[in-house]
Each structure stands twice: as C-alpha cells, then as structure tokens.
Amino acid sequence: MTTETLLSQQEAAIAEVLAAYPEKAKKSREKHLGVDMPEGVKGACDSTKSNKQTVPGVMSQRGCAYAGSKGVVWGPVKDMIHISHGPVGCGQYSRAGRRNYYIGTTGVDTYVTMNFTTDYNEKDIVFGGDKKLKAALAEIDALFPLNNGISIQSECPIGLIGDDIQAVAKGYKKESGKPTVAVSCEGFRGVSQSLGHHIANDMIRDEVLPDNSYKKDFVSTPYDVAIIGDYNIGGDAWSSRILLEEMGLRVIAQWSGDATYKELTIAPKAKINLLHCYRSMNYVVRHMEQEFGVPWMEYNFFGPSKTTESLRKIAAFFDETIQAKTEAVIAKYTEMTDKVIAKYRPKLEGKTVMLYVGGLRPRHVIGAYEDLGMKIIGTGYEFGHGDDYKRTKDELSGSTLIYDDTNEYELEQFVKRLKPDLVASGVKEKYVFQKMGLPFRQMHSWDYSGPYHGYDAFAIFAKDMDLALNSPVWAHTKAPWESN
Amino acid sequence: MQDVENIVNGQKLFLKPEYQEVFKNKKQFESNAGSTNPDKVIEIAKWTTTWEYREKNLAREHITINPAKACQPLGAVMAALGFENTMPYVHGSHGCVAYFRSYFTRHFKEPTPCVSDSMSESAAVFGGLSNMKEGLRNCKALYKPDMIAVSTTCMAEVIGDDLNAFVIGARKDAEGELDNTPIPAAHTPSFVGSHVTGYDNMMNAILQELNMVEEGVEVEKDAERINIIPGFEPYLGSLKEVKKIASMFSDKIVMIGDHEDQWNTPAGEYKLYAGGTPLAVAKTASTAKATISLQRYSTQATAKMIKNDWKQTYATCNPIGLGGTDEFVMKLSELTGKPVPAELTKLRGQLVDAMQDSYPYMHGKKFAIWGDPDFLLGVVSFLVEMGAIPVHVLCHNAPRKNWEKEMQAILEKCTFKEECHIWGGKDLWHLRSLLFTEPVDFMIGNVYGKELYRDTKIPLIRIGFPIFDRHHLHRYSISGYEGALNLLTWITNSVLDALDEETKEIAKTDFFFDSIR
C-alpha cells in the first residue's frame, strides 16, 4: 500500500467513527484522533489531546487511579503487604492480574499475589473505617511477622466518606516502627490509572525515600545504577538486569517488579536512575534528581536496535572500561539476535500491526516490530500525556493512525477499515479481534509468555509474533463451504 | 543466552545459570529480614502450619485475606448479559468496568461488553447526573442496544446518586433517542453482599422494568408458561443442559436471563451481543404460571418480587448432583402435569450406573470445597451422594439467614457427618490454616486454590468461578444428570491421577501402579 492510500484510508477511518457519535461526544473525540508521519509539519502527535476525561457511556479500556497505584507501582513491591482498603471487589479483580514476577515464599516473606482487603461493609461506610483499618494493621503484623512494611491502597469510598487513613498510617508507623504508607489513590481521582501512578510516586517520595535506615550502611561503587519503571512482567526486569550487570554495572535497586522496600529506599544511592516506563515513574526520578542529585536517563529495551542504542547511551554515562565491556556485550548478543532476525524476519516481513496499550509501550515496542520487518500503522495510549505523544513522533516510520483513549467501538472500526495483519493490545480486546480471525498478542502481559525486554527476550518476542501470525488456526476461521 | 534453535520463554530462560547468578546478585540488595535469611523464612513458614497459627488466624476480625467472593456490580453485568441486545451500563468510574470485563473475559475467554459513564472527581462533587445524561446517549448511539441495564458502583452509592431520577432525567434529555429503550436500574453497592447479590438486584430490576404490573390489575396467566432463572451461573454448559431438560417437558418453558450464547460466540465475525432472552419473552414473564429459580441465594429479592407482584408459583430447585436433578425433574413434571420422559429416566440410570462404577474412589475421601452458596449446596450434596466427606465447606458470601441450616441438612446425610464442618464468612487464608491442621485428600474450588495447592500439596480440582488458568471447563455442565456425570468424571479421574502419582516410583511404590483401575 502506498503512503497516500494508507493516509487516505486512515483519514477516512477517523471520519467514519466520528460520524457515529452524538454531537458533544464527537467534538470531544475528534481532538483525540489523527494521523502523523515521521517527517514534515505538525501532526497528530503534536496536536492530539490526551489525559482528558473519557467520554461517558463507551467501552473505554482505561483503568482507575487505584489500578495505577496498587496494580502497577506499589503492588509489585514484594516484601510489603498492600491492603486494598474498601469493599471487596477492587482487590479481588486486581489479584494476580498482572504478571509481576518475583522470587520469594508467598505468605511468609513475600505477598504480591495475595489479596489483603478490609472488605468494607455498610457499617464501615456509615461509621467510617479508620478503627477497622488500624486493627487490620495489627492483625497483619501478628500473622505475617516477616513483612517489611504495609501500604494502604484506598478505594473510592475512602476519600468520599473522608476517612483519615493518613493519620492511621502515621500513628501505626510510630507505634510499630514499621513502614506504613497510606496511598490516597481512590479510583475516581483523575481520568485514568495515570493519576494513580503519580499519587503512588508522591507517596514513595514522601514516605519511603526519606528513610535513611538502609542508606547509612550502604557502600557505593562508581557503577551503581537503579532500574526504575520496570514491573517485571513475565520477568522483564530480570532480562534487563543481566545486560546491565554484564556491562559492569551494579544494579542496586529495581522498581518495582520483584522489588523490596529496601530497594525503594536505596535508589537515591545510584549514580544514575535508568527509567524504562516514563509514564509511570518519571515523577519520582525527577524528584530524586532534585533532592539527591541523581541524574536519570530513559532507555528502551524492546528489540535489538533499541536495546543496543540504549546500552551505548547508558555506557556513555560511565567510563571507557564500561564502554568497552558494553561493546563486547553488544557484539555477543548481536550475533544471537542476528540469527533470530534471520530466522523470523522472512516470516514476518511487511506485516502490519495496530497497537493499543498503556504506559510506554505504544512507542517503545515499535522498534522491536521494525527489527522483524513489521510495520506499525496505528498506535495510541490508554492514559498517555502530551509528552508521551511527542516522544512517539520520533519512533514513527510512516503514516500512522494516532488514537488517544480510544474505545472498543473505535478500535474495532479502525481495524476493520485498515485490516492490519496483527493487533497487539490487552485482554479485554483480545477475543474481539480473534473472533474476526485476526492474530492478536497481548502487549500488556505478553500473553502468558515473555519476557520481552532485552536481547534474550527479543528472541521470545520474535518467536511469539511468528506464533501469532503464522499459526494454522487462523486459516480455519471460514468453513470450507462458506464463500469468501 | 538464547539458543536460536531452541528459544525458550521465561519459564526455562530464568533457570539458566547466568540468570541464577543475577538472582543471587540481587539478594544482597533485597532486605535484612525475610528473603536474605532463609532459616527465618523456614521457621515462619512452619509456624503458619500450626494449630497456634490457626487459632490466631481464625480469630482475626478486621482484615480479609484472599477472599472467595467479589462485589455486586460484577453479578449485575452477568444478569444484564442474559437478555437480548442488552448493554450492561455501570454508573461509576470506568476502572470498575475495566475490572469486570477483564475478570469475565479471563474466565470465559470471550469478550464482555459493558460500558461505564466514567465518573471522576467532578462527579464526586456534583453527582453523576451529567455523566448519565451523556453516557446513556453515547451508549445508545454507538452500541445500539435494545435495553440498557444500569447498575451502580460503591462510588455512586456513597455520594447518594438518585438513580431513578437520573434515568428519568437522562431520558428526557435525550430528545427522543432513548424513548423505546427500557433502562432498568439497580442499586448494587459493592459494600453490601457479593456478586450474587448484584445478580439478584439486577435481575429484579430488569424483570420489574419489563413487566410493569399495575396495582390491583390481575395479570392474565398463561397456563403452560414456566420461567426458569438460572442465577449467577459460570457454567455455560449448565444453561444448555437445563434448557434441554426443560424442553423434554414443554416448549413453553423459557429461561429468563440466558447468558449462554453471549460467552460462547463462534469464530468468524465479532458481534457485540449474542443470544439472550428476547425482550418480548422477558416482558411476558409475569404471565407465567410459575417461575423456578435454580439458585435460591442469587435470587432472593427477585423471588420476593415475583411472589408478591406477579402472584405466581415460585419454586427453587438446584439441579446439581443426582438428588438435585431429581427434584428439578419432578418439579417440572409436577408443574407441567406430564410424566418424566423415558429419556430422562434413562439418563438418570446411566448416571447412577456410572456413580456405582466409580464410587470406591470417592468413598471416604476427604474434600475441602469453597464457592458461592448455591454452588456449594449442589456440589456438596453430590459429594455426599458419592460417599465422600466434605470436611471443610467454606462459603465466604454465605447469607446470614438459612444457608448454614440448609447446608447442615445436607451434611446430616453424610456417612461421616461428624467429620464435616461449615465455615461461613471465612476466606481462603483461613482455609489454608484449616488445611494444614485438618488436612483433606482433595480440594474443589476456583483458580485461587492453586496457591493452596502449592503450599499444602493437596490436589486441586478446578470447579467453580473464576477459573483463569485452565481452558474451556466453563463450556461443560455441572447441572442435570449429564452435569453430575461431568462432576463424577472430573473428581474420580483426579483421584486416579493422584493415585498414579503416588504409585509411580520405580521399584518402590509401583507395585500398585495398576493398568486396571
């Protein structure tokens, strides 16, 4: 397809979906949709509105502030207990719903896949739940003596009835001497999970980073770095960490997949903070820069091109020894990834992809697909902000449909019109597109495979994309007696 | 490093020595307690298996750990999807809906349509009326539903949104666009009851909305029509099975709230809505001579409404297991005035034959089981019919009234009744203590039992909701004679799997590794 045809199709698709909306919703939605290209004038990446209220009455793919804090930032911290404070549902639906891998004895010294909740009932709503919360904290410590702290993740009713959970946490922290943090991440706050990330970061800033207990005995080396904004989905942080270690760096903290409370507190001891998910953790690296003078750098470990570029960028921050080692690491793995590309690129070359995910992935994964010869024709963020879109423009290689906070209706229409070979999005969308006989990969959770970060993981990514696109099952969609 | 000829994913990648080295390196930064002191971990892990820990654990009153229940609006979504071209609409933040959709999607491996009106801070201050006005209109315009079933979240309930007034207001505001669209609305606060309560409230609201019964006006009854309300039923095969049995008696028996097709759509084309009770049929539900509910505790408010307003016979049958199905079949026979068809008698006979073939493997085996109230009444009665011992019957969302009494009556029939315990209002961390101190041979429950399996090594038989980590079990039936045969097959074969596992050691236990079981 020529660029012109693609462009006109993309523009037609937007016009088509907008036509279905009532006037008010249409006016709102048209600001979130557009087309952009790598070169030339201002495109959708510059003008798209983002981080705005979702149009009511649509099937949005967005989550809430609670999901951002409990599900993403705090929940993966493995040696702390995270209480879903409020009614039973939120904790239950988010229980083990993200594949934040960790190593530990669950229920004894690690707790990530468990669900602790104050299970609010009517009485708590009427009379307030502060007392119950306080008593719950004590029960937790009695039953889980190896916990290294507790976080309280508030659900909607808490903020609405005005419970003072901050005071409860402060009081308990004083009494028990244990880190106790109340995060006011009620689901109605903000427009998506994004505000939850920010609120969660602010609590790390205020309640965790000032804790010097582990910092004082910490012996620094010139090569200390921290991984920030990797949630270890399917083990991503581990397959990233190995590269940093091989290039001679010492990873002193990992936020927050497979993290411990101690790792949260010692991150300011790093010589540089390496930030993967910009959206969810840029707030706290900026703070660490300001408060502790720790510089930060973004990196992208999806696909060998981006990984190599990022490794060199990281190495440039250090001395020649590191740089030399880094080149050796790159050389070693490039041999392997070249073979991976030689094996899979012929099967994937020219295939088109439409993406719709959260966090950093709508832009970060583009390079990985391109390394396999695949082409992104549409991408968008569930909860991105303006700076995410600006960062996206650099990643585009052709005419690309840009959709912010798109919903199931729009995505379905876009896909029907543009007919990508692969859709890569989340579990709620997965079966919609598979029904149509379209290959699909979950790009929130790597579809129960992964990891996808780093060189070893790229081999898995390539294999998974081949599995998705070239499976014989898609050919069975139509019965032999049905005409095409 | 990856071997390109044999690329492995995380499961095997991280076992490679270089990754084990990474984990070792990381340990030094992790902590002083816990993970870096293996002796302490072993000591505490052991302590959590003791009677002392159990007493402490069972005494807790304020924290719930690993619940075996969910919240109201989830059930409301299921009830709504049982009706043709109906969009479930949740009045609240979209975060809740993202969770409901993911939860159902992971269980059924099917899309789950549901919208929200995306309430946020401004709604918290000013109320959600403007969200509802815009939301209902957008929902109608984009998804073209014939009915929009509105439920609430805890947020809307706490700020006290006037649901009925809002719906009326939104309808007026819509310039006619919503005129022919029924919009039943149910209060489903998440801090009351559980998902089965939400199912009940939504079903009640839908039936009331579609069957406006004016006071003092006698509804003309259809002498043959019978309604069946399935309840919160995660087994699509059960819905099919119940309909099949009903059709053997009469074609005037209809299922009200039939979500079978919605979560079982064929490949080839995506359609938002599939199957469901036609609204025309649901609209005449009040004219039926009788309604049968298959789940008493999922339909309590609905039952009350039907008995009071519709003035028709209302019966509860729980067609799980042999006795439960017998009762259902006899109730149908009684209500239709027709004898039990020979085909059903044959099916029953085949089931009993199978039960008699397999009973030695279930007889005297100890089980722990958890789930929703009606599910437990059914499956536990089947265990008792097979001579098994339901040692721990745990129901987190057991209603305050009657349920324990009803369960006790079932356990009274157990050959080993003194070994059976009912645990109402308890969670799965309680169960962990029970399993360590009073172990059983097998567990029956949902996906969250898998951690109990890892900790206690007690085999888990996955029956219940949700099940995320096994495929397609929800397509089968656990109701009717064929459903009972499924239960029998799953349980017996799990017992046999365990037996093979225990006897497979070469030259040690394999004298009992029989080819004939």
Side-chain angles (χ1 to χ4, degrees):
Chain A
M1 201 187 292
T2 63
T3 306
E4 286 71 34
T5 357
L6 182 59
L7 176 67
S8 65
Q9 285 217 18
Q10 287 163 332
E11 282 168 347
I14 292 175
E16 219 167 75
V17 305
L18 286 173
Y21 283 102
E23 206 46 44
K24 192 174 172 194
K26 182 185 168 187
K27 261 175 100 176
S28 160
R29 285 306 303 154
E30 63 192 0
K31 296 178 191 149
H32 297 262
L33 305 171
V35 184
D36 207 352
M37 300 206 207
E39 68 284 335
V41 289
K42 248 169 97 112
C45 287
D46 300 291
S47 58
T48 295
K49 283 263 179 286
S50 58
N51 197 31
K52 295 280 181 230
Q53 192 67 251
T54 296
V55 168
V58 303
M59 264 186 263
S60 164
Q61 315 295 17
R62 279 176 162 179
C64 61
Y66 163 88
S69 176
K70 194 265 187 179
V72 178
V73 178
W74 280 96
V77 180
K78 65 180 177 180
D79 63 342
M80 291 179 77
I81 285 172
H82 310 288
I83 304 176
S84 295
H85 184 41
V88 68
C90 313
Q92 193 68 342
Y93 307 129
S94 58
R95 181 179 179 193
R98 279 169 65 91
R99 300 167 55 243
N100 306 107
Y101 284 179
Y102 63 92
I103 287 172
T105 308
T106 304
V108 179
D109 70 344
T110 41
Y111 315 93
V112 178
T113 47
M114 295 173 71
N115 170 11
F116 294 79
T117 171
T118 40
D119 191 5
Y120 254 42
N121 59 41
E122 224 166 353
K123 202 178 83 223
D124 302 310
I125 297 290
V126 178
F127 299 108
D130 285 350
K131 272 192 192 147
K132 183 176 195 169
L133 176 61
K134 202 178 162 201
L137 294 169
E139 282 178 354
I140 282 176
D141 271 337
L143 290 168
F144 306 94
L146 295 185
N147 85 73
N148 283 327
I150 300 174
S151 89
I152 299 149
Q153 307 283 324
S154 359
E155 301 172 11
C156 285
I158 307 307
L160 296 169
I161 63 176
D163 275 3
D164 194 353
I165 55 168
Q166 300 295 343
V168 176
K170 276 204 174 71
Y172 190 77
K173 188 177 178 181
K174 215 167 157 192
E175 231 170 78
S176 67
K178 273 198 172 175
T180 314
V181 185
V183 190
S184 298
C185 55
E186 289 85 354
F188 63 82
R189 291 191 197 278
V191 300
S192 68
Q193 51 268 63
S194 178
L195 189 65
H197 304 142
H198 198 162
I199 294 167
N201 279 208
D202 286 353
M203 294 316 291
I204 295 178
R205 175 194 70 197
D206 296 344
E207 296 293 326
V208 180
L209 294 182
D211 184 348
N212 288 321
S213 45
Y214 291 114
K215 285 189 204 101
K216 48 181 207 285
D217 300 324
F218 188 86
V219 183
S220 289
T221 74
Y223 301 124
D224 292 349
V225 298
I227 292 178
I228 307 289
D230 191 319
Y231 302 100
N232 210 30
I233 301 292
D236 279 333
W238 295 332
S239 59
S240 304
R241 194 180 175 108
I242 195 168
L243 299 177
L244 300 172
E245 286 183 5
E246 281 184 54
M247 63 195 264
L249 302 175
R250 195 172 77 144
V251 183
I252 63 164
Q254 194 176 301
W255 286 23
S256 63
D258 194 37
T260 57
Y261 177 79
K262 181 180 169 186
E263 288 170 80
L264 293 187
T265 64
I266 60 177
K269 286 285 183 185
K271 293 288 175 286
I272 186 167
N273 278 322
L274 303 175
L275 178 64
H276 207 243
C277 181
Y278 173 85
R279 183 69 274 134
S280 59
M281 283 223 176
N282 79 82
Y283 318 95
V284 76
V285 291
R286 289 176 200 279
H287 168 75
M288 281 193 267
E289 183 173 45
Q290 223 171 23
E291 181 73 19
F292 304 96
V294 189
W296 58 278
M297 181 191 286
E298 285 182 75
Y299 69 107
N300 177 356
F301 272 7
F302 283 104
S305 301
K306 292 292 167 186
T307 307
T308 299
E309 194 184 307
S310 292
L311 288 180
R312 289 203 172 113
K313 201 169 97 179
I314 294 165
F317 181 82
F318 295 95
D319 56 28
E320 280 168 10
T321 336
I322 298 290
Q323 285 154 19
K325 270 192 182 174
T326 303
E327 287 307 321
V329 171
I330 292 169
K332 174 180 130 187
Y333 283 101
T334 302
E335 201 183 319
M336 183 268 288
T337 54
D338 280 351
K339 280 189 205 156
V340 170
I341 290 170
K343 184 172 175 180
Y344 289 106
R345 188 164 176 138
K347 301 175 176 198
L348 301 169
E349 186 86 58
K351 301 284 185 194
T352 56
V353 186
M354 281 178 71
L355 290 167
Y356 183 53
V357 260
L360 60 133
R361 289 165 281 210
R363 62 176 180 276
H364 265 33
V365 297
I366 293 176
Y369 283 106
E370 287 175 348
D371 282 338
L372 292 168
M374 299 169 78
K375 192 174 160 195
I376 306 294
I377 56 167
T379 189
Y381 293 80
E382 282 182 13
F383 51 83
H385 297 205
D387 46 3
D388 290 303
Y389 284 96
K390 293 211 168 67
R391 285 169 160 77
T392 308
K393 186 157 179 123
D394 300 338
E395 306 296 331
L396 305 182
S397 61
S399 176
T400 311
L401 190 57
I402 305 288
Y403 29 76
D404 176 69
D405 181 25
T406 195
N407 50 60
E408 192 171 297
Y409 166 76
E410 291 176 2
L411 199 57
E412 194 190 324
Q413 299 308 317
F414 289 151
V415 167
K416 277 184 179 160
R417 178 101 197 188
L418 299 177
K419 299 188 176 59
D421 297 304
L422 175 77
V423 180
S425 185
V427 72
K428 298 190 288 296
E429 302 84 87
K430 174 173 176 168
Y431 300 98
V432 169
F433 298 110
Q434 289 197 171
K435 292 279 169 214
M436 303 175 186
L438 260 179
F440 185 97
R441 288 301 296 170
Q442 281 191 69
M443 291 305 288
H444 291 277
S445 69
W446 319 149
D447 244 319
Y448 320 113
S449 173
Y452 284 175
H453 292 178
Y455 291 120
D456 277 342
F458 173 69
I460 302 167
F461 177 81
K463 192 180 169 191
D464 283 358
M465 293 312 137
D466 174 47
L467 162 153
L469 273 151
N470 296 315
S471 163
V473 299
W474 308 119
H476 308 327
T477 307
K478 275 228 184 305
W481 53 88
E482 284 176 319
S483 56
N484 276 316
Chain B
M1 194 164 35
Q2 293 277 15
D3 166 8
V4 181
E5 294 314 310
N6 180 25
I7 295 169
V8 291
N9 71 15
Q11 184 206 343
K12 291 192 176 129
L13 180 68
F14 298 129
L15 296 176
K16 294 187 185 226
E18 66 268 27
Y19 282 94
Q20 292 296 313
E21 190 64 29
V22 168
F23 297 152
K24 219 169 76 195
N25 292 342
K26 184 173 183 292
K27 280 275 177 223
Q28 62 180 305
F29 302 108
E30 288 196 341
S31 177
N32 298 329
S35 49
T36 51
N37 186 350
D39 294 340
K40 193 79 190 158
V41 175
I42 292 166
E43 182 199 320
I44 298 294
K46 264 198 185 143
W47 173 61
T48 66
T49 68
T50 60
W51 276 90
E52 183 202 340
Y53 188 86
R54 166 177 165 153
E55 273 159 35
K56 240 180 196 218
N57 188 10
L58 287 176
R60 77 183 137 88
E61 286 176 355
H62 304 285
I63 191 77
T64 295
I65 307 169
N66 299 345
K69 61 176 180 180
C71 71
Q72 281 214 52
L74 181 83
V77 171
M78 180 183 274
L81 289 175
F83 294 86
E84 198 176 36
N85 295 330
T86 297
M87 179 62 85
Y89 180 112
V90 177
H91 181 49
S93 156
H94 46 233
C96 305
V97 167
Y99 280 145
F100 308 146
R101 292 177 65 210
S102 301
Y103 212 63
F104 279 134
T105 293
R106 286 181 176 133
H107 177 81
F108 291 114
K109 316 220 180 300
E110 290 276 333
T112 301
C114 180
V115 303
S116 95
D117 52 15
S118 293
M119 284 164 66
S120 68
E121 280 117 331
S122 60
V125 179
F126 302 109
L129 177 59
S130 66
N131 293 69
M132 189 168 289
K133 279 182 180 170
E134 212 193 323
L136 285 173
R137 251 178 121 164
N138 288 341
C139 172
K140 179 74 187 177
L142 288 187
Y143 305 110
K144 305 187 171 46
D146 291 337
M147 175 161 81
I148 304 174
V150 178
S151 56
T152 58
T153 59
C154 47
M155 177 192 183
E157 291 294 324
V158 170
I159 62 176
D161 275 359
D162 187 343
L163 199 54
N164 283 320
F166 279 19
V167 171
I168 292 167
R171 200 186 271 290
K172 272 191 190 153
D173 197 62
E175 299 170 331
E177 285 166 23
L178 296 169
D179 280 0
N180 299 313
T181 311
I183 309 176
H187 289 279
T188 50
S190 311
F191 44 82
V192 175
S194 69
H195 54 288
V196 300
T197 327
Y199 179 93
D200 190 14
N201 286 332
M202 193 74 243
M203 182 57 72
N204 187 14
I206 290 173
L207 293 183
Q208 282 199 53
E209 172 81 18
L210 296 180
N211 293 266
M212 304 266 191
V213 180
E214 276 177 61
E215 213 160 321
V217 178
E218 194 76 14
V219 178
E220 204 179 316
K221 297 289 181 212
D222 180 332
E224 287 178 70
R225 162 106 181 241
I226 297 166
N227 306 316
I228 294 179
I229 301 177
F232 189 94
E233 179 53 77
Y235 283 92
L236 303 178
S238 289
L239 299 174
K240 183 187 271 187
E241 180 72 12
V242 163
K243 285 183 282 186
K244 195 174 106 188
I245 293 173
S247 72
M248 291 180 189
F249 284 93
S250 158
D251 55 9
K252 299 211 70 176
I253 306 178
V254 293
M255 187 167 274
I256 301 289
D258 178 3
H259 53 260
E260 184 199 341
D261 289 346
Q262 180 64 44
W263 280 302
N264 190 13
T265 61
E269 189 184 1
Y270 172 62
K271 284 187 188 142
L272 200 53
Y273 312 108
T277 307
L279 296 190
V281 173
K283 275 178 183 166
T284 50
S286 56
T287 67
K289 65 183 272 192
T291 294
I292 303 174
S293 164
L294 305 183
Q295 295 185 356
R296 185 194 306 275
Y297 298 98
S298 299
T299 52
Q300 288 181 301
T302 307
K304 217 171 172 179
M305 186 278 293
I306 292 178
K307 282 187 230 167
N308 287 346
D309 297 353
W310 295 2
K311 303 200 171 43
Q312 54 174 243
T313 306
Y314 191 90
T316 310
C317 292
N318 190 341
I320 301 179
L322 180 69
T325 306
D326 286 347
E327 272 182 46
F328 176 60
V329 165
M330 286 187 291
K331 180 56 78 180
L332 289 176
S333 169
E334 178 200 319
L335 288 172
T336 57
K338 289 181 190 164
V340 175
E343 197 186 339
L344 270 175
T345 312
K346 185 178 164 192
L347 274 176
R348 184 188 189 278
Q350 287 167 332
L351 168 65
V352 174
D353 182 68
M355 289 166 74
Q356 289 164 349
D357 293 344
S358 310
Y359 81 92
Y361 292 101
M362 277 178 71
H363 189 88
K365 289 283 184 306
K366 296 180 176 181
F367 287 85
I369 176 167
W370 66 94
D372 289 337
D374 296 286
F375 165 83
L376 285 173
L377 290 170
V379 180
V380 170
S381 66
F382 178 69
L383 291 175
V384 169
E385 284 163 355
M386 288 302 297
I389 320 172
V391 174
H392 303 297
V393 178
L394 186 137
C395 189
H396 201 172
N397 47 351
R400 269 165 269 169
K401 271 204 267 176
N402 298 334
W403 182 82
E404 290 192 22
K405 233 193 278 171
E406 226 183 310
M407 180 56 79
Q408 193 56 50
I410 291 167
L411 295 178
E412 285 301 320
K413 293 184 211 143
C414 179
T415 324
F416 311 88
K417 62 180 174 192
E418 58 289 341
E419 292 183 53
C420 304
H421 307 281
I422 300 170
W423 302 97
K426 297 291 181 214
D427 58 42
L428 296 180
W429 193 255
H430 289 127
L431 182 60
R432 186 177 182 272
S433 281
L434 302 174
L435 292 172
F436 274 120
T437 49
E438 292 175 272
V440 295
D441 300 309
F442 296 92
M443 299 187 283
I444 293 178
N446 62 9
V447 59
Y448 299 117
K450 103 184 263 175
E451 284 162 7
L452 294 169
Y453 159 69
R454 179 188 54 199
D455 291 355
T456 64
K457 314 281 180 275
I458 297 168
L460 169 66
I461 304 168
R462 282 168 178 76
I463 310 174
F465 172 84
I467 294 171
F468 299 144
D469 68 334
R470 291 294 182 272
H471 283 212
H472 307 307
L473 292 170
H474 66 272
R475 293 176 189 272
Y476 291 84
S477 174
I478 63 165
S479 292
Y481 298 125
E482 291 187 36
L485 190 60
N486 286 333
L487 290 175
L488 178 70
T489 307
W490 297 338
I491 299 169
T492 304
N493 287 330
S494 299
V495 173
L496 292 173
D497 283 342
L499 191 52
D500 288 343
E501 188 61 33
E502 284 161 21
T503 55
K504 72 176 184 195
E505 267 181 276
I506 295 169
K508 207 166 175 193
T509 61
D510 67 347
F511 58 88
F512 209 78
F513 191 67
D514 291 332
S515 296
I516 311 157
R517 297 274 195 212

